[in-house]
């Protein structure tokens, strides 16, 4: 069994709760490594020292859990209660204070541990900045070396900047995975690109490696749901498992004050919620992450953290509808 660096979550549950769970903080339980197979394992990767610009995204896993108490387990729109879906919280990967590469390696090892120990379980990583995605995908590949992994990326950016120049920073994860032969460029689909936020040489790299770019403008024209279904179908036809990475900077700057890299012209929160409901229903999606949300930049009413929890619950609702 591979080593892992998971520590009990910062947030402590009310395990003495004696009624049927009706709010998210009653429902999620700490991971019991000796027991059953949970439907989903949640784990935090609280690192943002690897961000190109200043970010407090390392604070997100703790704030994410704190916000659970504001959400019921019942989804009114879909008329489903989520409590039948067993979500276990494995806590956060312990980060080294100064050694970024060591911290990244711990994320990789901890992901490998979870994927190996719970092969049937969907994993959900809460970042942290986007550098964490490269670590998680490598961890999955370590366990499933003969499987191909496809990535559906919801992001304003391609994240193919050069690690030789920046180190394994948050602008580089997709390039790390392609250059490291973990994932093929043609097995990456990015939805959410728009406007003026990807320099031309990065687009050239993406084209050269066959990354499929769907701009937000194109996606809206053909319908976001159709676009996502199409992307998942395409990936399903050629890979063994799909990893979905949600960079919260895909959201419009007006609805995501807590995402340092969000931009004008991005997704509305409703668009993101609709997409995640669809993604959750797809059986090939085995892994998901949510990254780059910095609670220290958020509004005083934590609007973006609330949006982040809502987005995650939409994915889970999709999983429940699939079953
Ligand atoms: Mn990104």
């Amino acid at each position: 069994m591979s080593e892992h660096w998971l520590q009990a979550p910062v947030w402590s549950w009310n395990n003495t709760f004696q009624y049927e769970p009706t709010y998210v903080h009653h429902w999620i339980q700490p991971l019991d490594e000796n027991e059953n197979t949970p439907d989903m394992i949640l784990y935090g990767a609280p690192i943002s020292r690897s961000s190109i610009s200043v970010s407090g995204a390392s604070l997100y896993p703790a704030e994410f859990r704190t916000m659970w108490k504001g959400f019921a387990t019942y989804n009114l729109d879909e008329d489903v209660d989520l409590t039948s879906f067993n979500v276990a919280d494995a806590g956060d990967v312990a980060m080294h204070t100064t050694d970024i590469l060591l911290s990244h390696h711990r994320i990789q090892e901890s992901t490998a541990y979870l994927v190996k120990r719970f092969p049937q379980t969907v994993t959900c990583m809460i970042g942290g900045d986007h550098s964490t995605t490269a670590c998680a995908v490598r961890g999955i590949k370590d366990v499933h070396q003969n499987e191909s992994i496809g990535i559906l990326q919801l992001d304003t950016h391609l994240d193919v900047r050069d690690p030789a120049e920046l180190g394994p920073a948050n602008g580089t994860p997709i390039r790390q995975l392609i250059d490291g032969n973990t994932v093929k460029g043609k097995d990456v689909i990015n939805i959410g690109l728009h406007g003026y936020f990807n320099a031309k040489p990065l687009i050239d790299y993406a084209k050269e490696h066959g990354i499929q770019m769907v701009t937000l403008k194109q996606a809206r024209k053909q319908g976001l749901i159709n676009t996502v279904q199409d992307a998942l179908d395409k990936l399903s036809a050629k890979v063994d498992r799909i990893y979905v990475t949600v960079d919260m900077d895909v959201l419009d700057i007006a609805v995501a004050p807590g995402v340092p890299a969000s931009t004008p012209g991005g997704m509305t929160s409703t668009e993101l919620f609709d997409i995640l409901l669809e993604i959750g229903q797809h059986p090939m999606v085995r892994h998901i992450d949510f990254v780059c949300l910095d609670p220290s930049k958020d509004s005083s009413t934590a609007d973006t953290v609330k949006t982040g929890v809502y987005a995650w619950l939409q994915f889970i609702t999709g999983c429940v509808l699939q079953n």
Side-chain angles (χ1 to χ4, degrees):
M1 191 62 60
S2 38
E3 196 171 6
H4 74 80
W5 300 89
L6 293 156
Q7 291 182 328
V10 177
W11 202 75
S12 64
W13 291 264
N14 178 9
N15 285 323
T16 58
F17 189 72
Q18 54 192 315
Y19 310 102
E20 286 296 303
T22 50
Y23 281 84
V24 172
H25 67 299
H26 300 144
W27 156 49
I28 311 295
Q29 295 296 315
L31 175 65
D32 178 347
E33 290 174 44
N34 300 314
E35 255 187 69
N36 54 23
T37 297
D39 296 307
M40 173 188 282
I41 290 178
L42 187 72
Y43 65 112
I47 186 168
S48 43
R49 294 183 199 282
S50 32
S51 295
I52 294 169
S53 50
V54 176
S55 168
S58 58
L59 302 169
Y60 184 48
E63 293 301 315
F64 170 80
R65 293 184 179 101
T66 305
M67 196 56 75
W68 289 349
K69 60 185 181 299
F71 289 82
T73 56
Y74 178 73
N75 180 325
L76 179 64
D77 298 299
E78 308 305 322
D79 186 27
V80 293
D81 194 281
L82 305 180
T83 50
S84 64
F85 194 77
N86 178 4
V87 180
D89 188 344
D92 291 342
V93 179
M95 295 300 167
H96 190 276
T97 306
T98 57
D99 192 334
I100 293 171
L101 299 184
L102 178 62
S103 296
H104 278 159
H105 195 66
R106 289 178 179 180
I107 298 169
Q108 182 173 339
E109 284 193 315
S110 302
T111 303
Y113 165 77
L114 292 173
V115 170
K116 191 171 182 185
R117 169 69 186 83
F118 300 97
Q120 304 304 321
T121 299
V122 171
T123 64
C124 175
M125 183 178 73
I126 305 295
D129 70 43
H130 218 161
S131 67
T132 59
T133 299
C135 312
V137 175
R138 281 195 296 263
I140 295 161
K141 187 72 177 178
D142 286 344
V143 178
H144 297 287
Q145 294 184 13
N146 298 322
E147 288 194 19
S148 54
I149 302 171
I151 295 181
L152 174 59
Q153 180 185 10
L154 306 181
D155 203 323
T156 287
H157 310 95
L158 285 161
D159 291 349
V160 294
R161 291 180 69 175
D162 189 355
E165 181 193 337
L166 299 167
N170 65 335
T172 70
I174 300 301
R175 180 148 175 181
Q176 287 182 52
L177 293 170
I178 293 172
D179 291 354
N181 294 318
T182 310
V183 172
K184 293 193 179 93
K186 66 179 181 57
D187 296 338
V188 177
I189 302 183
N190 186 316
I191 300 174
L193 300 161
H194 62 278
Y196 310 93
F197 310 107
N198 292 274
K200 185 65 169 46
L202 303 179
I203 306 289
D204 293 341
Y205 175 92
K207 284 182 178 164
E208 187 188 326
H209 289 83
I211 296 175
Q212 296 168 65
M213 298 176 274
V214 187
T215 65
L216 203 45
K217 189 173 178 177
Q218 290 167 334
R220 282 179 173 139
K221 211 175 215 172
Q222 63 202 46
L224 274 159
I225 301 285
N226 289 338
T227 303
V228 165
Q229 281 172 341
D230 187 47
L232 293 171
D233 288 347
K234 271 186 188 156
L235 288 176
S236 298
K238 55 182 181 173
V239 300
D240 298 307
R241 57 179 65 226
I242 297 174
Y243 187 107
V244 176
T245 180
V246 183
D247 189 328
M248 294 299 283
D249 79 17
V250 76
L251 288 171
D252 191 278
I253 194 167
V255 297
V259 184
S262 62
T263 63
M267 251 181 226
T268 67
S269 40
T270 310
E271 285 173 334
L272 180 62
F273 299 158
D274 289 348
I275 286 179
L276 284 165
L277 186 70
E278 205 58 41
I279 290 171
Q281 291 176 72
H282 202 286
M284 292 281 283
V285 176
R286 306 298 303 147
H287 315 278
I288 190 166
D289 68 37
F290 295 87
V291 300
C292 287
L293 200 165
D294 174 358
S296 74
K297 302 272 194 333
D298 208 355
S299 64
S300 59
T301 44
D303 300 11
T304 321
V305 174
K306 287 172 185 165
T307 300
V309 173
Y310 198 131
W312 167 69
L313 290 172
Q314 286 292 103
F315 174 75
I316 295 178
T317 299
C319 295
V320 171
L321 293 176
Q322 182 196 142
N323 292 334

